Amino acid sequence: MGTTYTVRIASTPHEISAPQLRVVIDEELQRVDAAMSGYRADSEISRFNASSSTEWFAVSAPLAEVVRAALDISEQSQGAFDVTVAPLVELWGFGPGGEAPAELPDSRAIAAAREHTGYTRLHIRSQPAALRKEIPTLAVDLNGIAPGFAVDLIARRFDDLGVADYM
């Protein structure tokens, strides 16, 4: 997901080793990365972004769950949080393969990029899980929410294993 992480565990049950916990962490991170990473061309979200279709696009239930949460936050924040911000992220040189622009984007470039954004243009359904965009160029950037989802999944697994006092 284009970031680093550190896990700290104060104590573990005696029957669980550090290598076993590493496997748990890696499994969850790989699962989230395969679905939600904008840094992988083969991830579910990257395939959705690459599609120019405005028809329903089948996705996994976890991806739909995260997008639903993101859209809820977008509503609550009146668009201050918007997962369709990918064109602006790219314009400013952030994100996968991004390089800082030689010059800051001008107001026309920003306005043009904003024409391809808008959380209200992204739709979700649960059964079967799918996403749909109203405009072919809409792209989703989950980097503002997917890492937290991954942390929640790891925490659930740790709790199930009886691991306490972790960060």
Side-chain angles (χ1 to χ4, degrees), residues 106-125:
D106 63 22
S107 60
R108 278 195 300 233
I110 294 169
R114 289 185 68 158
E115 290 295 317
H116 305 279
T117 67
Y119 72 92
T120 60
R121 295 170 161 175
L122 177 62
H123 304 280
I124 184 167
R125 81 172 177 215

Side-chain angles (χ1 to χ4, degrees), residues 79-101:
F81 181 80
D82 184 350
V83 293
T84 68
V85 73
L88 290 162
V89 169
E90 294 298 322
L91 180 66
W92 286 88
F94 298 107
E99 292 184 26

Side-chain angles (χ1 to χ4, degrees), residues 5-111:
Y5 69 92
T6 301
V7 177
R8 300 276 187 225
I9 303 168
S11 62
T12 62
H14 295 294
E15 64 275 5
I16 300 172
S17 68
Q20 288 171 314
L21 291 176
R22 166 68 70 187
V23 168
V24 167
I25 293 165
D26 288 346
E27 283 174 356
E28 295 303 335
L29 292 177
Q30 288 171 9
R31 189 172 299 129
V32 172
D33 198 54
M36 302 175 205
S37 177
Y39 291 83
R40 291 179 54 166
D42 65 338
S43 74
E44 281 185 82
I45 202 63
S46 290
R47 291 191 320 270
F48 173 75
N49 288 344
S51 171
S52 61
S53 174
T54 56
E55 300 297 319
W56 286 106
F57 186 96
V59 297
S60 65
L63 177 56
E65 176 185 349
V66 169
V67 172
R68 180 167 311 286
L71 292 178
D72 288 346
I73 294 166
S74 295
E75 283 290 329
Q76 293 170 19
S77 69
Q78 299 176 348
F81 181 80
D82 184 350
V83 293
T84 68
V85 73
L88 290 162
V89 169
E90 294 298 322
L91 180 66
W92 286 88
F94 298 107
E99 292 184 26
E103 295 181 12
L104 294 178
D106 63 22
S107 60
R108 278 195 300 233
I110 294 169

